[in-house]
Amino acid sequence: MRKKVCLILVVCFLLALAGTVALAEPHSIPGGPWIQPEQTVKLESLSQPEDVEKELLTIERRSRGRMEVELIGYSAGYEWPLYVAKFGDADDDKAKILIDTQIHGNEPLGTEAALGLIQNLAMSNNPEVRMILDNVTVWIIPMLNMDGSTIQEFEDGSQYQTRCNIQEWTPVEWGLPSDISAPWYNYGFYYPWFEICRGYDMNRDAHPHLAFDLSKHAEHGHIPPGDGGEPGFYVCPEIRALRDVFKELKPDLYVNHHHRGSALVDEEDRKLMTLQILGKFVPLGLEFELYQDGEHHVYYLDEDSLNLSKQVNALVYQKLTEMGNSPFTHITKYPLVHDFNDGRGLPGTTLASFSMNDAAVMLYETRGGIGQKSSGMLTRQSYIGLYETLLGFATGEVYEIDPEFYDVEIPPAGPSLSRPDRGLDGL
Ligand SMILES: [Zn+2]
């Protein structure tokens, strides 16, 4: 009897699960589904800044020298310690890869994938993992935006994270007159998409001149507010910390992980995408100029770094879609960022700025924003993408891929399911 009850419960559970899976892939119409303001989202399963610190330090102790954790700075608002997990040295004659996650605090699953990857690289006895670490230097910064990742609660008990960090505009500290406007990507209290925001969209704060120093531009030159077609100002301590790590490693590849609300694969297919990817953030050859320290600096995206970006994106697309019974077949490009801002792209993104410093780049835009039902699948998708990338560099397979695959075979972004009153979400 007891057994029977259990069996009935199991059957009920499986039926409920099947229902959940079916619900997770609805034949949606543009305009939904999205999280309604009154919809409670529980975020307890997500790592918090203190969990990241604890986990990294624990893994370091158990890694027997494979991985080192280094403090690289503090978040602007809550002053959470920021860490990079280092597998290998910057000066090694290996392929070098830098990965960060959660530059937007409310885009969390990249951090879960990165922590899983760090644990596997640090502790696995799999010969393939050994082979990767023998051939690739990997540095990972999980949860770059710890302020925004810190879970907050509304009065009704529902929880949220924020896109921005927590930081005020302080022009006098930069030697600027007190009436100089904040950088355009500083948001007083609300981000335009009705999100609470008390600081900066950190993914507009980068500049291709890695030594850019706002305090040297008080008299003339590149001062705020700026706009989306211009580079940022390195006012966020988190982005300066990332920049310093980039300068130290000089990576061949930089990976930056996000979520966006949701989008269809295409008008006909009407399935929800599971991932959007992209490798180009400013047009090829467009020059960004700057005078600083009495010198004229010019930055632009060149063909070599763009080709490797295409190869990396193509590799990830191929590996995810070619898995047996792959659940990851709904992958498209992200909208073409390099066409934004009258053809100037988004040079203040870390991807754009670093791509103008000889790094290949890859953007992950995991589906998100419709609840947490598919979190496990989406985290696994990012984990596999990152792992296969390391493997592709270790074996050299990535260099064998025809860059044209990226242009021809990876489908363009389908229609967005984001709220029409919002701008483009994600990046
Ligand atoms: Zn984002």
Side-chain angles (χ1 to χ4, degrees), residues 100-107 111 141-146 148-149 162-165 200-206 238-239 242 254 256-258 348-351 426-427:
D100 68 45
T101 68
Q102 223 167 346
I103 192 171
H104 293 136
N106 57 354
E107 299 173 11
T111 296
I141 305 173
M143 197 180 279
L144 184 60
N145 181 357
M146 290 200 163
S149 304
T162 63
R163 179 177 176 94
C164 305
N165 71 348
Y200 294 86
D201 183 342
M202 295 182 357
N203 199 30
R204 302 293 182 270
D205 192 40
E238 298 91 341
I239 299 301
L242 168 65
Y254 167 66
N256 181 238
H257 191 289
H258 295 252
T349 59
T350 55
L351 287 156
L427 183 75

Side-chain angles (χ1 to χ4, degrees), residues 280-291:
K280 187 180 176 189
F281 302 88
V282 284
L284 199 59
L286 178 70
E287 294 186 347
F288 292 88
E289 297 180 72
L290 177 79
Y291 286 90

Side-chain angles (χ1 to χ4, degrees), residues 127-175:
E128 191 174 83
V129 169
R130 287 283 187 181
M131 192 274 287
I132 288 174
L133 296 179
D134 285 343
N135 290 284
V136 184
T137 292
V138 191
W139 291 8
I140 304 173
I141 305 173
M143 197 180 279
L144 184 60
N145 181 357
M146 290 200 163
D147 287 350
S149 304
T150 306
I151 292 173
Q152 317 272 345
E153 279 195 7
F154 289 114
E155 276 180 12
D156 69 358
S158 62
Q159 299 178 320
Y160 66 99
Q161 294 168 308
T162 63
R163 179 177 176 94
C164 305
N165 71 348
I166 297 176
Q167 184 182 352
E168 285 178 15
W169 167 234
T170 52
V172 176
E173 270 180 44
W174 296 100

Side-chain angles (χ1 to χ4, degrees), residues 284-285 300-310 403:
L284 199 59
Y300 55 90
L301 174 64
D302 70 36
E303 207 131 8
D304 286 347
S305 83
L306 178 59
N307 273 345
L308 184 55
S309 299
K310 290 180 177 180

Side-chain angles (χ1 to χ4, degrees), residues 195-334:
E195 289 173 16
I196 287 173
C197 179
R198 285 169 287 171
Y200 294 86
D201 183 342
M202 295 182 357
N203 199 30
R204 302 293 182 270
D205 192 40
H207 196 295
H209 186 52
L210 301 177
F212 178 84
D213 181 347
L214 182 54
S215 68
K216 293 180 175 171
H217 295 266
E219 294 300 316
H220 46 76
H222 192 59
I223 56 163
D227 63 57
E230 294 295 329
F233 304 97
Y234 285 126
V235 294
C236 302
E238 298 91 341
I239 299 301
R240 292 199 300 276
L242 168 65
R243 172 201 63 187
D244 293 345
V245 170
F246 181 90
K247 280 166 75 174
E248 186 187 347
L249 183 60
K250 298 189 181 72
D252 300 286
L253 171 68
Y254 167 66
V255 178
N256 181 238
H257 191 289
H258 295 252
H259 285 237
R260 64 171 310 194
S262 208
L264 298 176
V265 173
D266 62 48
E267 276 291 1
E268 278 174 29
D269 185 315
R270 306 200 73 75
K271 287 198 179 71
L272 291 175
M273 64 85 181
T274 55
L275 177 66
Q276 293 187 328
I277 57 180
L278 204 67
K280 187 180 176 189
F281 302 88
V282 284
L284 199 59
L286 178 70
E287 294 186 347
F288 292 88
E289 297 180 72
L290 177 79
Y291 286 90
Q292 186 178 299
D293 302 317
E295 283 178 45
H296 180 218
H297 306 276
V298 180
Y299 293 90
Y300 55 90
L301 174 64
D302 70 36
E303 207 131 8
D304 286 347
S305 83
L306 178 59
N307 273 345
L308 184 55
S309 299
K310 290 180 177 180
Q311 288 172 312
V312 173
N313 280 261
L315 175 92
V316 170
Y317 180 87
Q318 290 173 7
K319 294 296 178 187
L320 284 171
T321 55
E322 287 168 5
M323 289 168 62
N325 297 320
S326 177
F328 311 122
T329 51
H330 307 338
I331 302 174
T332 70
K333 288 197 187 83
Y334 188 70

